[in-house]
Amino acid sequence: MTALPRTSTASADRGLAARGAPELEELHTVARALESQPATAAIEWAWDRFGPDLVLAASFQDCVLVDLAAQVAPDLEVVFLDTGYHFAETLWYVEQVRRRYDLDLVVVGPDLPADDLWLTDTDACCGARKVAPLAKALAGRAAWMSGLRRADGPARARTPIVTYDVGRGLVKVNPIAPWTDLDVDGYVRDHGLPVHPLADRGYASIGCWPCTRPVGTEEDTRAGRWAGTDKTECGLHR
Ligand code: SF4
């Protein structure tokens, strides 16, 4: 695998120092090399490269990525975006996973009280309750990691394992980008991972309760998100 120059974690402005270091071509080379390696290799590379300047943003739909990260980067900070509209089952599941892995979990919420914006403007609601809190969580960091997968749907079909998040000026790592749904199910089964209580009730993709419904066996996994609208993404993964 191609090695990138290490980031100086001693810098006062850790994020800026790191942002200037990786060249796009280097990221592409690393991404290509990681395609033939296990997901833990991507996490290991990112942890070795960025250390505490790396954050894992977990949706807690499952805990596959958390489990993988715990094997090679147990001190990695994990962020959960609490929109204020999660299912009670999700909040329960987050706590189960936090305890199981003794996670360094940071819960970040929006800077606004409950409202009904999701009824009239889901883009603005996601912007205030997901995108803005993520920006807060990533402030000063150099890289972030997500459980984005190509199998999630056409909009994510070309997701690289390592890329540059241009909008945020950060390196973005998607260790399980190549994993299929079967890969995820098999890993959960083989490793005895805790399962989100809604997963067995037809919720193939789990977001906020106002914008998530269960899907039929013939539907895409994300068909239950903002169903009946043309919205497919919340804005976290641009
Ligand atoms: S998924 Fe729905 S409730 Fe959640 S932040 Fe987006 S619009 Fe708001």
Side-chain angles (χ1 to χ4, degrees):
M1 185 184 359
T2 301
L4 297 182
R6 291 187 63 84
T7 302
S8 168
T9 54
S11 167
D13 188 348
R14 299 178 308 176
L16 281 177
R19 282 171 211 156
E23 297 292 338
L24 261 183
E25 189 50 43
E26 294 174 284
L27 293 180
H28 291 159
T29 302
V30 171
R32 277 194 298 272
L34 288 170
E35 285 289 337
S36 57
Q37 299 188 41
T40 47
I43 302 169
E44 213 164 5
W45 170 79
W47 181 244
D48 184 54
R49 177 67 177 76
F50 300 109
D53 290 336
L54 174 72
V55 168
L56 192 170
S59 68
F60 288 93
Q61 172 174 304
D62 60 58
C63 61
V64 168
L65 186 55
V66 167
D67 186 88
L68 291 164
Q71 296 170 34
V72 292
D75 296 328
L76 178 62
E77 182 179 303
V78 177
V79 169
F80 173 62
L81 304 176
D82 187 355
T83 63
Y85 288 110
H86 282 294
F87 290 97
E89 288 89 341
T90 299
L91 301 179
W92 177 86
Y93 184 67
V94 170
E95 180 56 15
Q96 302 309 305
V97 175
R98 186 193 68 76
R99 281 193 216 158
R100 177 183 171 109
Y101 296 97
D102 191 23
L103 289 183
D104 178 10
L105 180 69
V106 175
V107 179
V108 185
D111 293 324
L112 74 170
D115 57 36
D116 295 328
L117 194 54
W118 58 271
L119 283 168
T120 55
D121 190 341
T122 52
D123 285 342
C125 186
C126 282
R129 296 182 177 278
K130 289 188 174 185
V131 178
L134 180 65
K136 200 162 55 177
L138 297 181
R141 304 299 179 133
W144 68 295
M145 189 182 294
S146 88
L148 214 64
R149 291 188 297 119
R150 295 165 193 158
D152 288 336
R156 299 181 177 182
R158 292 164 58 87
T159 300
I161 296 176
V162 177
T163 187
Y164 191 64
D165 181 346
V166 177
R168 298 184 176 92
L170 301 173
V171 172
K172 187 177 179 192
V173 186
N174 307 300
I176 58 171
W179 286 35
T180 65
D181 293 346
L182 283 177
D183 290 333
V184 170
D185 293 345
Y187 188 91
V188 168
R189 189 182 57 244
D190 294 347
H191 293 80
L193 300 191
V195 175
H196 192 298
L198 295 179
D200 292 333
R201 290 190 239 161
Y203 288 84
S205 176
I206 305 169
C208 299
W209 65 260
C211 306
T212 307
R213 66 157 173 78
V215 296
T217 51
E218 301 302 314
E219 288 184 295
D220 288 343
T221 52
R222 286 180 63 83
R225 305 291 295 276
W226 306 283
T229 76
D230 58 6
K231 183 177 171 72
T232 58
E233 296 284 345
C234 58
L236 295 180
H237 306 291
R238 295 176 291 202

